[in-house]
Amino acid sequence: MKSEQLVEKSFGTHDGSFHADEVTACALLLLFGRIDVKKIVRSRDEKQLALCEYVCDVGGIYDPQKKRFDHHQVTYQGPLSSAGMVLLYLKEEKLLDACEYQFLNQTLILGVDAQDNGRDPSPLGVLSFSALVAHLNPVHYNALPQEMDAAFHQAVLFVLGYLQRLKERFIYAQSCKEMVQQAMEGSCFCLLFSESLPWQDLFFELGGAHHPALFVIMPSGAHWKLRGIPPTLSEKMRVRIPLPVEWAGLSGEDLCKASGIDGAIFCHKGQFISVWKTRQDALMALLWILKKEGKVQHDYDFWKNHSA
């Protein structure tokens, strides 16, 4: 195949019903400007595919230098689907850095790869991303080719929109890294933020697994929340120290009486998060807990600096 035969920025994949891996591979290449949405070809005709600059999930070749990304051939025994292959290619082409690669891989692509290779069947009642994309196929199995192609394009635009949102969230989260770092350096037992921000992933990215912080205080809409910090990033539903059992499931006046804090609003029955009217109320709740745990004397400077 001669390079001059290729249609620049074209994308080829198989026709018929589609799956999340080739849809996501296509959306990734669109996201990073490598292909043109008007140059998508769906066919198993080798002559048509040979003219495409990128070919995914068909053709029996995995060769990033030739921009061929299939995983069905016996000669490939790796864990990737075409989605994972394309994401890795984009990283190797330096179109995204290692941090963004890891973020996209862990938040989406690993699951697409696993499901397409039969390693991650979803339990009953759980709709995976891959299953959601598969449901965008026409309902009737005898749908016309034109209907299948139209559905594929709709699925690609859906996934592209989702990837764009993921990328925006990643960029925003990275812009908050310095604030999280400063909060980690400024206190022993509590991270205090003056604005609501995505702290959790950044906290652990910055070594939070070995940081002594037990709680986070930050705005929550018009109010303030006091939340327990998980032991590790993989244990998000656990906390290092639960909120008092006396507060669990209470709200309003009941929580005010139990805590002795007039600004009490709500404490989750899972004892991991609570909501308070003001920052001062949240700080008072923190002091209540630290006193109970015998930790106030060790965090006196934090309390003195922030309780006024």
Side-chain angles (χ1 to χ4, degrees):
M1 179 176 61
K2 297 180 181 180
S3 59
E4 62 265 24
Q5 294 178 310
L6 298 178
V7 178
E8 186 179 3
K9 302 186 77 171
S10 59
F11 174 89
T13 189
H14 61 81
D15 55 9
S17 61
F18 51 82
H19 305 95
D21 69 318
E22 75 267 20
V23 172
T24 303
C26 183
L28 280 167
L29 291 168
L30 284 170
L31 180 67
F32 288 92
R34 311 309 288 176
I35 62 173
D36 187 333
V37 71
K38 297 179 181 178
K39 297 180 181 179
I40 295 174
V41 176
R42 300 187 73 238
S43 174
R44 291 187 181 274
D45 186 319
E46 293 182 3
K47 292 182 179 179
Q48 289 190 53
L49 294 174
L51 300 177
C52 296
E53 182 176 358
Y54 292 87
V55 176
C56 292
D57 211 44
V58 69
I61 299 173
Y62 176 36
D63 188 340
Q65 291 186 340
K66 295 180 179 179
K67 302 176 184 178
R68 269 38 187 172
F69 305 94
D70 196 11
H71 65 111
H72 295 100
Q73 60 276 18
V74 174
T75 52
Y76 178 74
Q77 296 295 323
L80 304 178
S81 70
S82 60
M85 290 174 171
V86 166
L87 185 69
L88 183 59
Y89 163 79
L90 294 170
K91 176 190 172 186
E92 291 174 344
E93 289 292 303
K94 300 188 181 344
L95 293 169
L96 71 167
D97 62 24
C99 267
E100 190 173 2
Y101 171 82
Q102 183 178 20
F103 173 78
L104 289 174
N105 204 32
Q106 292 184 346
T107 54
L108 180 64
I109 306 303
L110 280 173
V112 173
D113 287 346
Q115 288 218 330
D116 200 75
N117 285 298
R119 297 193 309 273
D120 185 26
S122 295
L124 291 175
V126 175
L127 179 65
S128 69
F129 180 83
S130 294
L132 176 60
V133 173
H135 285 313
L136 298 178
N137 277 280
V139 174
H140 301 289
Y141 279 28
N142 59 350
L144 295 174
Q146 299 92 323
E147 186 180 356
M148 295 295 298
D149 289 348
F152 178 84
H153 279 77
Q154 289 175 350
V156 166
L157 294 179
F158 168 77
V159 175
L160 176 61
Y162 184 69
L163 286 170
Q164 287 170 331
R165 180 59 64 89
L166 281 180
K167 187 176 181 182
E168 289 168 6
R169 286 188 179 279
F170 171 78
I171 293 171
Y172 169 61
Q174 291 299 303
S175 74
C176 298
K177 183 179 287 189
E178 185 175 348
M179 287 185 282
V180 175
Q181 180 73 67
Q182 290 174 352
M184 293 172 69
E185 294 171 352
S187 170
C188 183
F189 292 117
C190 182
L191 308 180
L192 179 62
F193 299 107
S194 60
E195 62 182 270
S196 182
L197 52 80
W199 63 273
Q200 196 167 131
D201 287 356
L202 291 171
F203 174 72
F204 288 104
E205 181 183 326
L206 293 167
H210 306 291
H211 192 279
L214 302 172
F215 295 96
V216 168
I217 291 177
M218 69 168 60
S220 178
H223 304 301
W224 287 74
K225 65 183 177 184
L226 171 66
R227 191 210 192 282
I229 293 179
T232 65
L233 188 58
S234 63
E235 300 174 284
K236 290 185 177 181
M237 296 309 294
R238 295 181 58 209
V239 289
R240 295 172 176 183
I241 290 183
L243 295 174
V245 66
E246 301 96 322
W247 301 358
L250 299 183
S251 60
E253 287 299 319
D254 291 335
L255 184 55
C256 289
K257 291 177 182 177
S259 65
I261 302 171
D262 291 338
I265 294 177
F266 168 75
C267 180
H268 197 281
K269 67 180 181 181
Q271 298 172 253
F272 69 93
I273 192 168
S274 57
V275 181
W276 308 85
K277 288 183 180 179
T278 67
R279 186 181 86 148
Q280 185 68 16
D281 294 326
L283 285 165
M284 289 176 64
L286 172 65
L287 180 61
W288 197 103
I289 298 167
L290 293 179
K291 281 182 177 179
K292 182 179 179 182
E293 297 291 330
K295 298 181 180 294
V296 174
Q297 64 272 24
H298 301 297
D299 217 24
Y300 175 74
D301 288 340
F302 171 83
W303 180 255
K304 181 176 67 175
N305 294 333
H306 296 290
S307 62

